[in-house]
Amino acid sequence: MYKVILVDDDVPVVDYLRQVIPWKSLNMEVTGVFDNGKKAYEYAKLHIPDIVITDIGMPLMNGLELIAALLEHKDDVHTVILSCHDEFSFAKQAIQLNVADYILKESLEPETLIELLKKIKLQLDSEKQTKKLEVSSQLLNSLTDDPLMNEASWSTQVEQIGLDFSLYGYIPVLCFINRPLVAEERYSSQKLLMFAMQNVMEESITGDQKKSVFHLAYNGQETVLLFQYRDFVKENVYTQTEQVLEAIRESLLAYLKLTVTFIIGQLTEEKLILKENMKQLLKGKELCFYYEEGLTIKLEQINASYIYTDLLSYHLEAKQQFQQLIMNEDSEGLRTALSEWIEKLRSGRFQPHMVREWGIKILLDLRLKIQSLQFFETKFSEEIVHQNLFRVESLDHMYDVMWFYMNELLSIIHYVHKGSKRKEIIEAQNYVVQHLHEKISMADVAQKLHLNAAYFSRLFKKETNENFVDYVLRVKMEKACDYLDHSDLSIDQIAERLGFDSKSYFIRTFRRLVGMQPALWRHRI
C-alpha cells in the first residue's frame, strides 16, 4: 500500500479525512498524523511517505517548508495542500514545489479529494512500474556489462524486483523479436517498441499468472520473463509456461504484427544459480540462427555446435552462379539457386558470423559488377548491406534480405538491357531517381551533364522515345504509387517528398497520369 501522512493542527479536519476517505480501496494507508510540520518532518525522514496531505499555517514548520524539506530527501513525493489561505503568494509557492493540488478547506468535498487521490495513485503505479523496469533492466545488463557482480549486489537487485527464493522457484524465458529492423520501422523509437511489447505481454497474462510472471526488460528487442512457481513438484510447470507463452505470441502477432522466439531456461531455486542460468539464456539468441523463426524451444534442446571451416570456397562458386543468373535475367533460377545455397549453409552449420560475412561479400561483389555496367548506381550502399546483414538473426531472414537486394540487381540489368546505352542518358535517369524529392528541371540536368539544353532534350527523346519532363513526372508518379501502397504517409507528405509545392497540383498530375485520384488508388483494393 502507498503510505500517506496527514499534517494539520486542526484535529477535526484530520479526523474527518481519516473517516470519509476509503483509504484501503485506494491501496493507501495513513501511517502518520501530525499537528505541525516539524514532527511530520522528523517522522518522514525515517519513514518516507508516498503522499503528504498538509495544511500551510502550523507552528514550528509550516506546510510549504515541510514540502520543500521532504523533496530534498525524496524528489517524487506527491503532495496536496489543504488550507484556509486563499492567497496568491501561497498558491505560487505551491506551484513552484510541484504540489498536486491546492484545495481550500471551506470548499473541500470528499469526492474531489478522492478523485485527486485516484489520479495520484495512477501516477504512483506508473512510477513504480518504471522503476521496476529500470531495476530489472539493470539486473539483466549487469550479466553482460558487469559479469563479476558480487553476490550481495545481485541479491539486492533480485529482491528489488520482488523475487522470493525462500518460497518459490523460477523459470527464466528469453523472448526476442524476429526481424527487429522491420519492427523498428513501424515505431518512432526502440523505447516505444519495448513499451508496446510490455503492454501487450502483460495483457496476455491472465488470472493468477499475473502475480507470478515477472517482466524484465533487456532492451527494445529482447525481454526476459520469470515464471514463478511454488509447488513445482506437483505442477507441470513447463507445460503451464508454454501455454502462457503461446497466448503472448498470439497477442503480439494480432496487435503488433510481431513474431517472436521464446527460449525457455531451467527451473531455478537459488539466486546465484539463476544468475548463471540467465547468462546462458542471454547467449541463446545467437544459437537460434539455424532454427525456424517463431519457435518456443528449451535452451538445452538447442544445438550449439558449429563448423569452423572457411567459406571462401563457397564464395567464388556462389558469386559466379548468381552473377550469371542475374545477367540472364533468370529470376526463378536465381531464387532457386539462392534457396539451394541457404540450405547448403544450413546443413553445414557454419558459424553465424561467417555466414553473415559470406552474404555481405556476395552482395557487395555483385553490386560492384553491376555498377561497372552502363554507369548504374544501386540503391543500397556498402554501409546499408553491412548494417542489414549483420543484424539478421536467422538464416531464413538472411535469405529474404539477400533476395531483396538480388531482385534489385535483376531490375537494373533489365533496365540496362532494354534502355539506352548512352552514358549521358543513364546519368540523367540516375539523377532523377536520386532527386525525386526536389524540383527537377531539364535545364539543370543538362547543365550538370555539360550539355546544351536543346541538344539534351532531343537526345533524351531519341534514346528513350519519351520527353524528359514526361519521364520525370512518370517516375515521380510511380514512386507516389509505391508510397500509397506501402506507407502511411498522407497525401500532403507524399506531395512534399516528391518535390511538389502544391498538393492540388500533385493530385491533378497523379489523376492525369495514373487515371484516378491518390486517395482512390490507396483504397482501390
Side-chain angles (χ1 to χ4, degrees):
M1 288 190 169
Y2 296 117
K3 294 178 287 187
V4 183
I5 63 171
L6 306 177
V7 191
D8 199 327
D9 57 356
D10 189 343
V11 177
V13 170
V14 172
D15 291 340
Y16 176 71
L17 292 178
R18 297 188 74 171
Q19 292 175 13
V20 301
I21 304 299
W23 299 105
K24 190 172 182 180
S25 66
L26 292 170
N27 196 31
M28 299 175 185
E29 61 175 334
V30 177
T31 58
V33 176
F34 308 94
D35 58 8
N36 69 69
K38 187 171 180 58
K39 288 181 182 178
Y41 177 63
E42 293 300 325
Y43 172 85
K45 283 194 298 182
L46 301 175
H47 312 281
I48 298 291
D50 299 296
I51 304 170
V52 176
I53 301 177
T54 181
D55 188 12
I56 292 182
M58 295 177 293
L60 302 179
M61 177 186 279
N62 69 37
L64 295 172
E65 293 170 336
L66 169 64
I67 293 171
L70 286 176
L71 289 175
E72 292 183 5
H73 289 274
K74 186 182 181 185
D75 60 7
D76 57 353
V77 174
H78 292 260
T79 55
V80 178
I81 289 179
L82 296 178
S83 179
C84 297
H85 300 281
D86 186 12
E87 295 183 20
F88 177 73
S89 61
F90 287 135
K92 183 179 179 182
Q93 290 180 65
I95 292 172
Q96 292 171 341
L97 292 169
N98 201 27
V99 171
D101 209 341
Y102 188 109
I103 302 174
L104 292 175
K105 290 181 180 179
E106 62 185 32
S107 61
L108 174 63
E109 295 288 342
E111 293 77 11
T112 302
L113 184 56
I114 290 170
E115 286 303 312
L116 175 60
L117 290 171
K118 286 180 179 178
K119 291 179 182 178
I120 292 175
K121 178 186 177 299
L122 289 176
Q123 293 174 6
L124 286 166
D125 289 344
S126 177
E127 292 167 6
K128 184 178 180 181
Q129 182 64 23
T130 299
K131 287 180 181 178
K132 184 177 178 181
L133 282 174
E134 289 174 355
V135 172
S136 64
S137 184
Q138 292 169 6
L139 180 73
L140 288 170
N141 288 330
S142 70
L143 295 174
T144 51
D145 300 337
D146 186 15
L148 299 179
M149 175 188 283
N150 60 48
E151 180 179 346
S153 298
W154 172 263
S155 297
T156 299
Q157 289 195 3
V158 164
E159 290 167 3
Q160 283 180 323
I161 63 175
L163 304 189
D164 184 356
F165 282 87
S166 65
L167 295 174
Y168 303 102
Y170 297 88
I171 296 178
V173 177
L174 175 65
C175 167
F176 60 87
I177 301 172
N178 301 129
R179 313 196 180 196
L181 280 177
V182 178
E184 287 174 14
E185 288 177 359
R186 301 202 301 269
Y187 295 86
S188 58
S189 70
Q190 198 175 76
K191 186 175 181 180
L192 181 60
L193 174 59
M194 183 177 72
F195 180 74
M197 275 191 68
Q198 176 197 340
N199 282 346
V200 172
M201 292 171 88
E202 289 180 353
E203 289 296 321
S204 304
I205 302 169
T206 59
D208 294 338
Q209 287 282 3
K210 275 191 176 294
K211 298 178 181 178
S212 58
V213 180
F214 294 81
H215 185 128
L216 311 184
Y218 185 36
N219 57 39
Q221 300 170 17
E222 299 141 357
T223 189
V224 171
L225 300 173
L226 286 175
F227 287 76
Q228 176 178 277
Y229 292 103
R230 187 166 189 170
D231 194 1
F232 43 81
V233 176
K234 294 181 180 179
E235 298 177 14
N236 190 340
V237 292
Y238 284 105
T239 299
Q240 291 184 26
T241 299
E242 290 178 10
Q243 289 172 348
V244 176
L245 295 179
E246 186 58 31
I248 292 174
R249 183 200 312 286
E250 291 176 358
S251 295
L252 288 172
L253 182 59
Y255 297 111
L256 301 182
K257 309 302 181 194
L258 298 177
T259 59
V260 293
T261 292
F262 294 112
I263 304 177
I264 303 175
Q266 293 182 331
L267 178 65
T268 308
E269 301 175 58
E270 297 180 24
K271 294 177 187 177
L272 292 183
I273 294 178
L274 176 66
K275 179 182 179 182
E276 294 305 315
N277 286 350
M278 287 176 63
K279 278 185 182 179
Q280 297 305 314
L281 191 65
L282 294 178
K283 297 176 183 177
K285 181 178 178 181
E286 180 71 0
L287 299 177
C288 285
F289 183 78
Y290 286 103
Y291 287 84
E292 180 184 349
E293 295 175 334
L295 281 181
T296 297
I297 188 170
K298 291 181 180 178
L299 182 61
E300 63 197 43
Q301 295 173 333
I302 297 176
N303 182 355
S305 62
Y306 295 125
I307 292 177
Y308 294 84
T309 306
D310 190 356
L311 282 169
L312 183 61
S313 60
Y314 278 11
H315 168 262
L316 183 60
E317 182 185 352
K319 185 190 75 170
Q320 291 176 343
Q321 184 181 7
F322 292 147
Q323 183 175 303
Q324 187 62 46
L325 291 166
I326 290 171
M327 296 304 296
N328 292 340
E329 296 184 55
D330 187 352
S331 177
E332 288 304 313
L334 182 62
R335 184 185 284 274
T336 299
L338 179 58
S339 297
E340 290 173 350
W341 276 106
I342 290 293
E343 290 310 309
K344 187 177 291 188
L345 294 172
R346 193 189 308 277
S347 61
R349 288 195 64 82
F350 301 94
Q351 280 190 301
H353 79 88
M354 294 174 60
V355 175
R356 294 186 185 100
E357 289 172 359
W358 176 85
I360 290 170
K361 186 165 176 54
I362 289 284
L363 288 175
L364 293 182
D365 284 354
L366 292 173
R367 169 180 173 268
L368 187 62
K369 175 65 178 177
I370 299 304
Q371 278 185 299
S372 68
L373 298 172
Q374 300 295 313
F375 320 103
F376 260 88
E377 287 286 341
T378 60
K379 294 178 184 177
F380 58 90
S381 66
E382 182 174 342
E383 181 182 354
I384 290 173
V385 171
H386 272 278
Q387 176 185 340
N388 288 347
L389 272 181
F390 266 126
R391 292 188 66 181
V392 299
E393 296 166 353
S394 73
L395 195 59
D396 291 335
H397 187 197
M398 180 171 158
Y399 167 84
D400 288 341
V401 172
M402 291 190 69
W403 173 248
F404 173 81
Y405 289 127
M406 287 183 177
N407 201 40
E408 182 188 332
L409 297 178
L410 277 172
S411 299
I412 291 174
I413 288 300
H414 176 74
Y415 200 79
V416 168
H417 289 168
K418 301 298 181 184
S420 170
K421 302 297 187 292
R422 293 290 296 260
K423 175 183 176 182
E424 300 93 328
I425 301 305
I426 294 171
E427 288 184 357
Q429 291 171 330
N430 282 338
Y431 180 86
V432 171
V433 171
Q434 294 167 13
H435 294 80
L436 290 177
H437 58 288
E438 302 174 4
K439 289 183 177 179
I440 303 173
S441 72
M442 184 173 65
D444 288 342
V445 175
Q447 185 178 15
K448 290 181 183 299
L449 297 173
H450 307 290
L451 296 175
N452 174 272
Y455 171 73
F456 171 68
S457 176
R458 292 194 300 272
L459 180 64
F460 194 93
K461 174 72 173 183
K462 176 184 175 183
E463 290 292 320
T464 66
N465 199 32
E466 186 176 24
N467 291 325
F468 179 77
V469 174
D470 291 341
Y471 170 77
V472 171
L473 290 176
R474 176 173 63 79
V475 174
K476 287 196 173 194
M477 292 307 103
E478 288 173 356
K479 188 62 179 177
C481 291
D482 184 55
Y483 280 137
L484 291 167
D485 288 340
H486 303 107
S487 80
D488 296 324
L489 294 174
S490 67
I491 305 298
D492 283 314
Q493 291 171 319
I494 293 174
E496 183 180 352
R497 287 199 178 197
L498 294 175
F500 287 85
D501 292 332
S502 166
K503 173 185 174 182
S504 59
Y505 176 55
F506 166 73
I507 292 175
R508 289 198 305 273
T509 304
F510 189 94
R511 183 169 55 190
R512 176 168 61 84
L513 295 179
V514 180
M516 65 178 72
Q517 292 191 355
L520 293 176
W521 177 272
R522 171 167 274 167
H523 301 292
R524 71 193 185 281
I525 298 176

